């Protein structure tokens, strides 16, 4: 990656298989002060400023993306939504859930997923950026927090106009 013109492409992947192990990391931003950094294994990755950020092994498996046939065949591939299951067996997230001492609403939280390798931020590529919606965005059990995030959160949440008619706009209404 220090060589000029080095790129992550299919040729590099083919030549380095099975020796190059990719990691994925996820940032879940509930507020400007509260961000959960999670992965499927404990890993330090430098941020944009070169400071180490710890991503904790709180996810039992890689995120699951829902992809339609149209998205798969499109020239610009884009992931529309993603499912992520956080391990809460030890109750770590309980304080941030309803009834918790530091409760913060998870609805509208930003979710960013990156894939890459090593501990340098520039080696990671963003594959998904979305938000947690109102409907079925967060579901909890006694051991897990299930998150479904959408990349088109704002487009899905459309206000429906009132169904009232008045004589100003409709003079012949009864």
């Amino acid at each position: 990656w220090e060589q000029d013109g080095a790129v992550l492409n299919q040729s590099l992947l083919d030549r380095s298989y099975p020796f190059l192990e990719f990691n994925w990391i996820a940032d879940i931003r509930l507020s400007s002060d509260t961000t959960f950094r999670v992965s499927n294994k404990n890993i330090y990755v430098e941020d944009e400023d070169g400071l180490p950020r710890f991503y904790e092994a709180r996810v039992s498996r890689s995120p699951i993306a829902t992809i339609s046939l149209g998205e798969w065949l499109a020239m610009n591939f884009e992931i529309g939504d993603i499912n992520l299951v956080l391990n809460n067996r030890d109750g770590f997230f309980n304080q941030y859930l309803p009834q918790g001492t530091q409760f913060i609403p998870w609805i509208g939280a930003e979710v960013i997923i990156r894939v890459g390798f090593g501990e340098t931020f520039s080696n990671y590529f963003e594959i998904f950026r979305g938000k947690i919606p109102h409907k079925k965005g967060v579901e909890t059990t006694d051991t897990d927090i299930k998150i479904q995030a959408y990349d088109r959160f704002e487009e899905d949440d459309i206000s429906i106009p009132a169904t009232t008619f008045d004589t100003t706009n409709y003079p012949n209404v009864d």
Side-chain angles (χ1 to χ4, degrees):
W1 292 104
E2 293 181 15
Q3 179 180 351
D4 290 337
V7 293
L8 177 64
N9 58 23
Q10 191 62 48
S11 175
L12 173 65
L13 294 175
D14 290 342
R15 282 184 275 158
S16 56
Y17 179 79
F19 305 107
L20 184 62
E21 179 184 349
F22 280 98
N23 303 317
W24 65 267
I25 56 177
D27 293 312
I28 304 169
R29 292 187 182 140
L30 299 185
S31 69
S32 59
D33 298 331
T34 306
T35 300
F36 296 122
R37 292 179 177 88
V38 296
S39 182
N40 59 338
K41 65 180 181 179
N42 291 328
I43 184 171
Y44 279 97
V45 177
E46 293 179 353
D47 66 5
E48 298 91 345
D49 300 322
L51 301 172
R53 300 283 185 190
F54 181 64
Y55 288 85
E56 191 172 0
R58 290 247 166 226
V59 183
S60 55
R61 59 187 153 106
S62 299
I64 300 169
T66 304
I67 302 166
S68 70
L69 181 59
E71 289 171 326
W72 187 258
L73 297 176
M75 297 221 11
N76 294 327
F77 181 73
E78 186 175 311
I79 298 172
D81 66 304
I82 206 155
N83 294 308
L84 192 64
V85 180
L86 302 178
N87 179 344
N88 194 31
R89 285 182 179 92
D90 62 355
F92 174 80
F93 295 105
N94 288 351
Q95 62 186 332
Y96 301 100
L97 295 172
Q99 313 299 319
T101 57
Q102 296 180 326
F103 169 65
I104 298 174
W106 291 53
I107 304 304
E110 185 176 40
V111 177
I112 302 169
I113 310 261
R114 293 181 178 92
V115 173
F117 59 91
E119 296 178 357
T120 305
F121 186 78
S122 61
N123 290 342
Y124 286 79
F125 303 91
E126 185 176 303
I127 62 165
F128 178 82
R129 180 181 293 258
K131 292 193 176 187
I132 299 174
H134 295 282
K135 297 178 183 173
K136 294 202 170 233
V138 178
E139 295 180 3
T140 61
T141 68
D142 57 342
T143 60
D144 295 322
I145 299 174
K146 297 175 184 170
I147 296 173
Q148 184 167 17
Y150 292 93
D151 70 339
R152 293 187 180 96
F153 174 72
E154 300 298 329
E155 294 173 17
D156 289 344
D157 193 24
I158 298 172
S159 299
I160 298 174
T163 57
T164 58
F165 296 95
D166 59 21
T167 54
T168 306
N169 295 325
Y170 302 96
N172 297 329
V173 72
D174 290 332

